[in-house]
Amino acid sequence: MLYGQHDQHLARIETQLGVSLISRGNALTIAGPEDSAESARSALMALYERLKRGLPVGVGEVDAALRMATSVIDPAGRDQALATIAKPDFQVRTRRKGAISPRSPTQAAYLQALAESEMVFGLGPAGTGKTYLAVAQAVALLTSGQVDRIVLSRPAVEAGERLGFLPGDLKEKVDPYLRPLYDALHDMLPAEQVKKRLDSGEIEIAPLAFMRGRTLANAFVILDEAQNTTPMQMKMFLTRLGEGGRMVVTGDISQIDLPAGTRSGLKDALEILREVEGVRFVHFTDKDVVRHPLVSRIVRAYDRHEAGKAKPRNGEAAP
């Protein structure tokens, strides 16, 4: 079914799930522990459906199928998650990357929220695709004419450096903070298209301070690294939403770089807006990390370390 040019993908499935895949003609036999064999079967069927639709299957898609097959315990939920790999409804189309599919159950839920809701919060650790998928959705809506422009923003909060000591004018000072947004855009659109749309104002990348006093109608607005906003900044940003607009806020409350004693606007928003109709919250975990597999292990190691520090020791009260 997936042999030939996909031999390496089958080997990847065997290694990660601890099963043996034996090909006899058009039949593929899976040998191994029952749970692992069932996960392998589910992953293989999802990849096969993707191939039948004429969609490419690479390492990323194989890892996505494995992640979905092993992270959802309920069989019905697992099959539903795996089905998103080949479903056009769960894909974002961009000019350069083509169809971008979810690579975890949470990513599938996030893409659905981005398609259905006017305001979405994507929360969780680095490498889970929060910003990348939001930019992909923004580009898809812009190129299809469903929004007139994209506005990408970040708070210019320094992690150990001071803007005043950096060389250059204001744009040159803040560009390093906005570079991840430029990188995502260049992944979605050809370089000349990015430049043309930046020059025309169809795409705007600006620090958060530049949002004050504006009303952003018919725009797809993304606030990245929102954990580094103050409550006042967060309220200011959220109230910029205009008619026909969409807004996405992404952040990781475990990576706050604000001065000690300053409350994060993202934490405030989580408490204040959780019951507000029309606002969707999607929470990612280390299981959704889609960068190098080592990144997921690093995130888990840090989480264990932080949890250990919070536990009382020798009868002492927790800090």
Side-chain angles (χ1 to χ4, degrees):
M1 179 170 59
L2 288 174
Y3 270 94
Q5 64 179 8
H6 298 295
D7 280 358
Q8 68 272 27
H9 300 330
L10 293 177
R12 195 176 188 88
I13 293 172
E14 288 180 321
T15 300
Q16 293 199 27
L17 294 181
V19 298
S20 297
L21 302 177
I22 304 163
S23 176
R24 293 188 179 90
N26 291 329
L28 188 67
T29 301
I30 305 171
E34 183 177 352
D35 288 347
S36 298
E38 179 57 28
S39 294
R41 185 200 66 79
S42 298
L44 286 164
M45 291 305 299
L47 294 171
Y48 183 50
E49 285 299 317
R50 185 175 174 85
L51 285 173
K52 286 201 300 184
R53 293 174 183 263
L55 299 171
V57 171
V59 172
E61 287 71 33
V62 173
D63 285 346
L66 289 170
R67 188 178 298 111
M68 293 183 181
T70 57
S71 63
V72 181
I73 298 175
D74 174 60
R78 179 182 59 214
D79 292 342
Q80 183 179 9
L82 283 163
T84 64
I85 292 177
K87 278 186 178 178
D89 293 348
F90 285 87
Q91 295 175 354
V92 180
R93 294 196 170 274
T94 62
R95 291 189 178 179
R96 188 173 181 190
K97 281 287 186 179
I100 297 175
S101 303
R103 295 190 175 182
S104 75
T106 311
Q107 282 196 357
Y110 187 51
L111 285 177
Q112 186 170 4
L114 291 175
E116 296 174 351
S117 301
E118 294 175 330
M119 184 175 292
V120 179
F121 283 74
L123 310 159
T128 52
K130 306 182 302 294
T131 303
Y132 190 84
L133 291 176
V135 173
Q137 178 74 358
V139 169
L141 294 184
L142 178 67
T143 55
S144 65
Q146 296 180 62
V147 296
D148 295 337
R149 55 182 169 151
I150 297 172
V151 180
L152 308 174
S153 186
R154 268 187 164 198
V157 173
E158 310 96 293
E161 280 190 295
R162 298 295 176 194
L163 282 173
F165 295 122
L166 295 176
D169 58 20
L170 179 60
K171 181 180 184 302
E172 291 171 326
K173 288 176 186 290
V174 300
D175 265 2
Y177 295 92
L178 305 173
R179 179 51 52 188
L181 300 176
Y182 284 105
D183 291 343
L185 275 176
H186 281 92
D187 244 11
M188 308 299 168
L189 289 168
E192 65 274 10
Q193 280 287 316
V194 174
K195 184 178 186 306
K196 178 182 176 181
R197 293 177 187 272
L198 283 169
D199 291 343
S200 70
E202 284 184 276
I203 298 176
E204 178 184 351
I205 303 180
L208 179 60
F210 288 19
M211 297 296 105
R212 188 173 298 279
R214 303 177 63 182
T215 300
L216 301 169
N218 300 311
F220 197 111
V221 192
I222 300 173
L223 175 61
D224 191 32
E225 297 291 339
Q227 74 274 6
N228 289 327
T229 61
T230 65
M232 185 178 296
Q233 287 174 325
M234 177 62 75
K235 180 181 178 182
M236 178 274 292
F237 176 80
L238 296 178
T239 54
R240 299 309 95 196
L241 182 65
E243 188 70 27
R246 300 284 191 93
M247 187 169 280
V248 181
V249 178
T250 67
D252 177 6
I253 57 175
S254 71
Q255 297 291 329
I256 297 173
D257 297 317
L258 292 168
T262 303
R263 182 163 175 81
S264 167
L266 183 58
K267 282 188 173 182
D268 253 22
L270 287 173
E271 296 176 8
I272 296 169
L273 303 179
R274 59 186 173 186
E275 303 296 334
V276 175
E277 184 180 354
V279 180
R280 297 272 290 274
F281 293 91
V282 180
H283 295 266
F284 294 85
T285 70
D286 62 88
K287 293 181 179 179
D288 300 299
V289 173
V290 294
R291 292 179 181 172
H292 193 287
L294 182 57
V295 175
S296 183
R297 297 197 291 273
I298 290 172
V299 171
R300 286 197 297 270
Y302 270 93
D303 286 346
R304 287 194 301 269
H305 177 71
E306 291 301 319
K309 285 169 60 178
K311 290 180 180 178
R313 291 183 296 177
N314 299 326
E316 297 178 354

